[in-house]
Amino acid sequence: MQREIQLICGAVRIPDLPGFLKTINKIASENEVIVQGLNTDLIAGERHLHFAVGKALKAVATGTNVAKDPGIEIMRYAAGERQIERSFSIGLHEGENNVVFVLLGTMDKLLLAFSELRKVLEEKPCSELLAYSDSKRQGILSLFRITDAEIEASGEEHIPELVIERVALADFLK
């Protein structure tokens, strides 16, 4: 069985986070897929997300994963964190969210989960929501602890690469 990866992006208003996560988990379990929601305001571009997902799946495949749940492992890498607890900062929160849901499963099951997820969000192009922009800058610098010295040394335009570097180092940084 070939596991596929799909993304669906959009905006969602979450009045009650535990209730919303319960709905997402229900969609995932009923359709036998993995669904992980991430805050796109803290994603520094499509490369960042794809690199993090790739690292997480490789960790799961080789048994070097920290989290038992592959979705949490994706979140951990996306946040560039070794510690699971700290990786939740890149997750969803109560209020308005720009979100990307990463889905893993067989194509037939993914399509079913996809149509269910479409009911809980206002779909928007992933290319728009994932792209790095100035409006994301402060949140990303804070989350990934990127210093002024690093920006000065590498240049403002290299902030997304600095984030990818954090993802790459997630296994080594304490």
Side-chain angles (χ1 to χ4, degrees), residues 2-113:
Q2 177 65 37
R3 277 212 327 196
E4 303 285 334
I5 302 167
Q6 288 289 319
L7 304 177
I8 184 171
C9 297
V12 64
R13 189 174 181 317
I14 303 175
D16 167 41
L17 186 61
F20 184 80
L21 294 176
K22 193 180 278 186
T23 301
I24 299 306
N25 289 335
K26 186 172 185 245
I27 291 170
S29 64
E30 285 177 357
N31 293 291
E32 301 168 29
V33 297
I34 291 162
V35 178
Q36 183 60 56
L38 301 170
N39 178 349
T40 61
D41 295 340
L42 297 170
I43 301 287
E46 288 187 51
R47 278 187 55 223
H48 168 201
L49 181 64
H50 292 295
F51 187 68
V53 169
K55 293 277 294 176
L57 295 180
K58 184 175 182 200
V60 170
T62 60
T64 57
N65 47 311
V66 172
K68 290 181 186 79
D69 179 319
I72 300 294
E73 193 71 359
I74 289 169
M75 180 183 278
R76 190 177 75 75
Y77 275 102
E81 281 293 343
R82 180 145 184 76
Q83 295 176 355
I84 294 169
E85 202 60 39
R86 290 222 305 254
S87 69
F88 292 132
S89 55
I90 202 166
L92 306 180
H93 54 83
E94 290 187 352
E96 299 296 329
N97 286 259
N98 287 318
V99 62
V100 57
F101 287 109
V102 180
L103 291 80
L104 304 172
T106 58
M107 192 48 82
D108 56 332
K109 305 276 189 190
L110 286 176
L111 294 172
L112 295 170

Side-chain angles (χ1 to χ4, degrees), residues 129-140:
L129 287 182
L130 294 175
Y132 178 76
S133 64
D134 277 348
S135 64
K136 294 181 173 190
R137 184 182 187 277
Q138 209 42 58
I140 285 173

